[in-house]
Amino acid sequence: MPFHDPQFWIVSSIAAVGLFLLARPFLPRRGRVHSGCDHCASGAAARRPKRTALTVEGRGVR
């Protein structure tokens, strides 16, 4: 093994990062609580009801 060669360390580090990125979806996540809202850190959008006006041909429907 050419431990004194810088190219060995560069290629080895690129390979290690690549392996980590490939294994990352299979690793368990720490500190994340599933709140129902994937893009909000606090899950605030999951707690609020969605308020959308329902219309048919421009008229409000209740």
Side-chain angles (χ1 to χ4, degrees):
M1 297 291 268
F3 292 118
H4 63 280
D5 189 12
Q7 185 178 5
F8 169 77
W9 292 108
I10 293 169
V11 172
S12 296
S13 62
I14 291 172
V17 169
L19 284 173
F20 173 74
L21 292 176
L22 285 174
R24 192 169 153 193
F26 302 107
L27 297 174
R29 296 182 184 195
R30 291 184 285 165
R32 182 175 176 194
V33 177
H34 183 64
S35 61
C37 182
D38 292 335
H39 60 276
C40 297
S42 64
R47 291 187 219 118
R48 285 183 283 165
K50 189 173 184 179
R51 301 193 188 271
T52 305
L54 180 60
T55 60
V56 175
E57 296 181 1
R59 292 182 170 186
V61 177
R62 289 187 179 203

